[in-house]
Amino acid sequence: MAITSAICTSFKVELLKGVHDFTATTGDTYKIALYDSDATLGAGTTAFSTSEEITNTSGSAYTSGGATLTSVTPVADSTTAVCDFADVSFSSASFTANGALIYNSSESNKAVAAIAFGSDKTATNGT
């Protein structure tokens, strides 16, 4: 089992079909969920799943499904299209995560991108 950083292949196809809307305030809702090292995420991931999603070991900083990302309208940066979400944080958190999945909760939890952290990242009653 492994997490590899990738733009999900299904997302690329769905972009060409006009499924996803990243427009600020009127677009779809995007979330980021955290996963443990037993998760399998990568280019082949098609949707959010609770399988191997992390659990908060104390407090209520992380809830299943992750955090909502604040969207910004995409812009061009030279020849690259960019959508830069605002940073998220989980205060008073205690958990270990090895990667994340950005997904579109407005469109049947369709996967956008898998992110590998490279190793376990642990928060112990911190942010």
Side-chain angles (χ1 to χ4, degrees), residues 21-101:
D21 183 354
F22 285 87
T23 307
T25 68
T26 60
D28 295 335
T29 300
Y30 294 87
K31 292 187 167 192
I32 186 165
L34 302 176
Y35 290 85
D36 65 28
S37 60
D38 291 329
T40 300
L41 301 172
T45 304
T46 59
F48 164 75
S49 169
T50 58
S51 178
E52 304 305 334
E53 184 182 17
I54 64 136
T55 56
N56 197 46
T57 57
S58 67
S60 59
Y62 184 86
T63 57
S64 182
T68 300
L69 296 168
T70 303
S71 184
V72 295
T73 301
V75 297
D77 182 358
S78 185
T79 60
T80 303
V82 177
C83 182
D84 185 14
F85 295 110
D87 294 346
V88 298
S89 62
F90 304 97
S91 57
S92 300
S94 293
F95 56 70
T96 299
N98 192 274
L101 179 71

